[in-house]
Amino acid sequence: MIHPWKNLAEAYGRASRGEKVAVWLVLLCLLPILYFVLNWLSADFDTSGTAYVMMHLVDRAVHGQPIYAPSASDHVNGGYTPLYIWISAAVCKVFGTSFFWPRLVSLLSALGLSLLIGALVWQNTEGNLLLSVWAPAVLLWTTVIAGFNTWVVDVNVNGLHAALVVLGFYLLRPPRSVPRIAAAAMAIALSVLAKQTGLAYIAAGTVLLAGSSRKEAAIFAAVACVLVGGVFWWLNDSTGGEFFRQTITANRGPPWLVQRLVDEVILRVLMGLAGFLTAMTLIGLLQYEEGGFWKSIWKAEWFLCAAGVGVACIAHPKFGSGPTQDLVALAGLAVCGSIGLYRLSKRVPPWLGPRLLLAIPAAQLALVILPGASFYPMAILDEHDYATHRQIASVFQSGRTSMYTIPYIQRAFGQEPGGYQQGDIDLWKDGRMDVSRKPDALVKPYRDQQFDYVILPAYASREDTAVRAILDHYDGIGSIPGHPRGPSGGNTRFDLFVFKAKRLQGR
């Protein structure tokens, strides 16, 4: 077996001139990713309300407060399992709470994921250097540059979850042993503790092992289920049932939209952005190795890909979800697409194989360059974002302030939390979001004018009872203009309206 990244210098030396040029071009394509990472790591604020929700939960964990509790004026739920929050809080406990450390957790996860993808391709292509470099690069380009999400440095669970899933399937490759299977089970169990969709990968790993050994499958399933079940039971018991309600029950509320499956998953991702990866994966299924079709695909790499695509088709179409649900699917397609391309290159005439190994990677990268050119500028924090943050800061410095639907930001400016609203998971009733009957405890702070100022984003609904209380008891005094390229990229890129309590104006 070829070990990960062994003899890289020798592989580079054996490569043709065209392959060497291609390797360097792929590496150069990563420079926009590097700039993107540095751009976000240097900012101690965000444009996304979700990032502030996660920072709120990290901050609560740092201060020993429960992260699974009923919504209140000083607490909002996140809806995810807790591993990412725990890890980020542990680092923040040592170095101080800031956006940098949770982003660093995501970045290190993305680096680990990239190395694992490269290693899987290396081991399945007889040490092909170009494909081993290209596979993680095309994943990063497709998911970051071409319009997915800031997941590589986002304050969110996705990078950690995906890295743990791929690590688990990497450990399920032969040669297997009981310790290795147990380690794989622990990695995938931890992916569940980072994000609930990891449960699907426990099932996939169990089926994979059951195809060759029921004993191995039983060990894997037992270790994973005991770890996940034990932590779930403890969390649910210690939170009076709030953990299960927030992470499982409440997530059933948003509707599942068939049209999103067709438009966003199948057409935009599988047949669009990842078109060549998908085609090469299908070709790889047909170009099976000695031993027949089933022996060829009954491997960890193919189960990773199939399970990832299955999760994408189930989770992405749910209202409120998005393309980051496709992350593991695209990681699997990057691996299996590379394997399929390599197998194809060995089946065609000798003069054609090397050309395919250059042409297909170039075509796949070209496929994401056009959408990347339009999305990338919006993915970057620019001077307008910094100016917006400075204007928000000036409001907070003028008095006690609430920025509607954005938690944690008060803590960032040294104020006590309050005025928070329910997270989206609390607002779904009978398949529709209902903001017209919020608990009075969430409306009262505005009705009583507990805040000197309120910043209200343009997307706030007038049907929202808390918004109506703001409009009744506060006067508009100004606005902060939205981003000139539009609100894509986060809540603070919308127009923001500043209100002042009527009590401060003698009213």
Side-chain angles (χ1 to χ4, degrees):
M1 182 180 71
I2 298 177
H3 294 280
W5 311 111
K6 184 179 180 181
N7 299 326
L8 286 176
E10 292 183 9
Y12 184 79
R14 292 193 305 268
S16 68
R17 182 178 180 181
E19 288 173 325
K20 290 177 181 177
V21 171
V23 167
W24 284 107
L25 288 175
V26 170
L27 292 175
L28 285 173
C29 283
L30 293 176
L31 289 179
I33 304 287
L34 177 61
Y35 177 77
F36 169 84
V37 167
L38 295 175
N39 172 260
W40 279 90
L41 282 180
S42 61
D44 198 29
F45 68 92
D46 209 288
T47 61
S48 167
T50 302
Y52 280 98
V53 170
M54 298 302 291
M55 284 301 301
H56 161 68
L57 298 174
V58 168
D59 184 64
R60 282 179 69 91
V62 166
H63 291 90
Q65 298 173 296
I67 59 177
Y68 301 105
S71 291
S73 183
D74 62 351
H75 174 59
V76 61
N77 301 315
Y80 289 118
T81 43
L83 183 62
Y84 175 80
I85 297 166
W86 286 345
I87 294 174
S88 299
V91 180
C92 288
K93 187 83 171 178
V94 176
F95 297 104
T97 305
S98 77
F99 281 89
F100 177 83
W101 301 112
R103 285 179 181 148
L104 185 62
V105 173
S106 293
L107 177 60
L108 293 176
S109 299
L111 290 173
L113 175 62
S114 299
L115 289 173
L116 286 166
I117 290 171
L120 284 169
V121 173
W122 177 271
Q123 293 178 357
N124 282 278
T125 60
E126 300 178 294
N128 186 285
L129 182 60
L130 173 58
L131 292 179
S132 300
V133 173
W134 169 72
V138 80
L139 172 71
L140 292 171
W141 254 84
T142 304
T143 56
V144 176
I145 301 299
F148 267 49
N149 188 270
T150 60
W151 68 271
V152 295
V153 283
D154 195 16
V155 185
N156 215 321
V157 303
N158 297 297
L160 178 63
H161 166 73
L164 289 168
V165 169
V166 176
L167 174 61
F169 280 92
Y170 179 88
L171 293 172
L172 287 177
R173 299 184 74 252
R176 297 187 186 114
S177 62
V178 171
R180 191 178 174 97
I181 290 170
M186 292 177 66
I188 295 180
L190 289 174
S191 82
V192 180
L193 298 181
K195 191 175 184 179
Q196 298 90 306
T197 50
L199 290 167
Y201 303 110
I202 293 179
T206 302
V207 174
L208 167 66
L209 293 173
S212 58
S213 170
R214 292 182 180 179
K215 177 183 176 182
E216 290 180 345
I219 292 171
F220 174 85
V223 172
C225 291
V226 167
L227 179 55
V228 171
V231 175
F232 273 27
W233 177 86
W234 169 68
L235 284 169
N236 201 53
D237 182 69
S238 62
T239 60
E242 279 296 312
F243 169 75
F244 189 83
R245 187 189 71 81
Q246 292 177 30
T247 60
I248 306 296
T249 306
N251 277 298
R252 298 173 183 169
W256 193 86
L257 307 174
V258 176
Q259 195 61 46
R260 290 188 65 180
L261 170 63
V262 176
D263 293 344
E264 298 182 23
V265 181
I266 296 176
L267 296 180
R268 181 171 186 264
V269 177
L270 298 181
M271 297 177 64
L273 291 174
F276 284 100
L277 291 178
T278 303
M280 289 301 105
T281 298
L282 295 175
I283 287 174
L285 290 174
L286 299 176
Q287 303 290 326
Y288 50 83
E289 301 167 338
E290 294 183 10
F293 175 75
W294 289 110
K295 184 176 180 180
S296 180
I297 69 164
W298 209 268
K299 295 180 178 179
E301 296 85 354
W302 297 93
F303 270 73
L304 167 67
C305 184
V309 170
V311 167
C313 290
I314 295 171
H316 184 153
K318 187 182 72 171
F319 187 89
S321 292
T324 47
Q325 300 285 5
D326 308 341
L327 184 55
V328 176
L330 285 163
L333 288 170
V335 172
C336 293
S338 299
I339 296 171
L341 174 57
Y342 186 74
R343 289 180 179 178
L344 178 63
S345 73
K346 296 300 182 182
R347 300 290 182 94
V348 298
W351 64 268
L352 181 58
R355 289 174 170 81
L356 285 176
L357 289 174
L358 295 175
I360 299 300
Q364 177 59 57
L365 279 175
L367 194 63
V368 296
I369 285 175
L370 184 59
S374 60
F375 173 79
Y376 185 74
M378 287 303 297
I380 297 296
L381 290 174
D382 59 18
E383 179 52 38
H384 189 277
D385 293 311
Y386 278 90
T388 296
H389 185 67
R390 288 192 294 269
Q391 292 178 77
I392 292 171
S394 69
V395 178
F396 276 87
Q397 290 161 4
S398 299
R400 179 116 162 86
T401 302
S402 167
M403 188 167 179
Y404 194 70
T405 74
I406 307 294
Y408 176 72
I409 194 168
Q410 291 165 316
R411 298 279 288 182
F413 288 113
Q415 297 183 10
E416 288 301 309
Y420 296 174
Q421 298 300 296
Q422 293 166 306
D424 286 350
I425 62 170
D426 296 305
L427 298 174
W428 287 94
K429 295 178 179 64
D430 300 323
R432 63 181 295 271
M433 186 176 286
D434 184 5
V435 295
S436 63
R437 294 184 179 87
K438 287 186 174 180
D440 189 64
L442 304 183
V443 180
K444 188 175 185 297
Y446 297 106
R447 190 172 60 242
D448 294 349
Q449 302 182 47
Q450 293 181 10
F451 305 101
D452 300 330
Y453 300 92
V454 175
I455 301 175
L456 192 67
Y459 56 80
S461 171
R462 285 181 174 267
E463 294 181 3
D464 189 322
T465 48
V467 171
R468 292 204 299 269
I470 294 169
L471 297 177
D472 289 342
H473 298 282
Y474 290 77
D475 289 326
I477 60 170
S479 65
I480 301 172
H483 200 284
R485 287 195 297 267
S488 176
N491 304 61
T492 64
R493 288 181 169 178
F494 284 82
D495 288 328
L496 304 174
F497 303 100
V498 182
F499 290 80
K500 186 175 183 179
K502 290 182 177 181
R503 62 176 169 76
L504 297 178
Q505 304 178 75
R507 299 180 59 191

